[in-house]
Amino acid sequence: MKKPVIKKILMLFLMFILICSNTIFYAQKKEVFVPNTSRQVISGRVTDEKGDPLIAQVQVWYFPLTPVVFNFGDSKAKGRTDNLIKMAYSTEKGFYSVKVPADTIVLIITKGPEWSLVKEKFVIKEKEFNGIEFNVSLKRLYDLGKLGWFAGDVHSHTIHSDGYQTPSEMAFAMKGVGLSWGILSDHNSDVGNIEWLGNKDNDFVPIPGCEITTEPSDESLVNGYGHFNQSFI
């Protein structure tokens, strides 16, 4: 047999071995057991049409997006009580990362009504653990600021009363849904206003405030305490 023919046969044999070994290795990787408590990670970057980073809200929902059920009295309702799995926000550089369960989920990325919305369905397997990269670009649909309209939130609580986020986290969340301003209104406290005011930038104006609680009177015993908001503009 001629040497060129032998070389071709050897090359084909080596290629066959490499393909088989890669296939076996890939199969071993796919068969690695991951406990049900493990979580898949979906991560990526949110940008605008020009490629500039955006602070946006990232929502993870169970699929399908069916109405939730509620418990009334002693009777326990059957069904899912909450479709929302997690809510997070992309960073100032547009990056986000969320952990998701092994289930069929819907990922929604939004920056409020002035921007386009991205909705994508994923089927997450229990043994899937390498992570999923999902980058999105949002389109600016409207710019109401040019018409003199600026969206904001007049009522928000933080860890300084009965909220769960810090003033900075609350401001970041407002930026993530496209708000231009917000009023901090913790119950009977202005402790968070210093941190709150530190979140001012070209796109967001923080306004200090306080929700003041009044004492109950004979005429308002049923309604309990009265509340009114005070802003320091």
Side-chain angles (χ1 to χ4, degrees), residues 115-127:
W115 294 80
S116 63
L117 179 145
V118 173
K119 183 188 296 184
E120 189 77 13
K121 183 174 76 171
F122 294 91
V123 179
I124 309 299
K125 300 177 182 179
E126 291 184 355
K127 296 181 180 180

Side-chain angles (χ1 to χ4, degrees), residues 98-165:
V98 290
K99 291 184 178 181
V100 296
D103 209 319
T104 302
I105 65 165
V106 175
L107 185 73
I108 298 176
I109 299 179
T110 176
K111 192 176 172 60
E114 295 185 44
W115 294 80
S116 63
L117 179 145
V118 173
K119 183 188 296 184
E120 189 77 13
K121 183 174 76 171
F122 294 91
V123 179
I124 309 299
K125 300 177 182 179
E126 291 184 355
K127 296 181 180 180
E128 192 171 22
F129 59 94
N130 290 326
I132 298 174
E133 183 177 353
F134 185 65
N135 301 311
V136 300
S137 176
L138 301 183
K139 180 181 179 181
R140 186 71 180 260
L141 303 176
Y142 312 99
D143 190 353
L144 297 181
K146 292 182 178 180
L147 301 176
W149 294 92
F150 299 92
D153 190 339
V154 299
H155 194 98
S156 59
H157 294 174
T158 70
I159 56 173
H160 296 295
S161 58
D162 56 357
Y164 297 97
Q165 287 80 33

Side-chain angles (χ1 to χ4, degrees), residues 169-190:
E169 289 171 338
M170 184 64 67
F172 201 83
M174 291 184 182
K175 296 176 185 179
V177 293
L179 299 185
S180 300
W181 56 273
I183 299 178
L184 185 63
S185 55
D186 276 318
H187 290 286
N188 304 311
S189 174
D190 61 356

Side-chain angles (χ1 to χ4, degrees), residues 13 27 31 56 71 98 114 150 162 198 202 213:
F13 180 74
E31 291 302 319
N71 297 325
V98 290
E114 295 185 44
F150 299 92
D162 56 357
N202 294 333
T213 303

Side-chain angles (χ1 to χ4, degrees), residues 4-5 18 21 23-24 30 43 45 57 59 63 78 98 114 117 134 144 156 159-160 169 172 186 192-194 203:
V5 176
L18 287 172
S21 61
T23 304
I24 293 171
K30 295 294 288 186
S43 61
R45 195 167 188 239
Q57 187 182 76
Q59 308 169 10
F63 179 85
K78 296 181 180 180
V98 290
E114 295 185 44
L117 179 145
F134 185 65
L144 297 181
S156 59
I159 56 173
H160 296 295
E169 289 171 338
F172 201 83
D186 276 318
N193 281 327
I194 295 177
D203 299 318

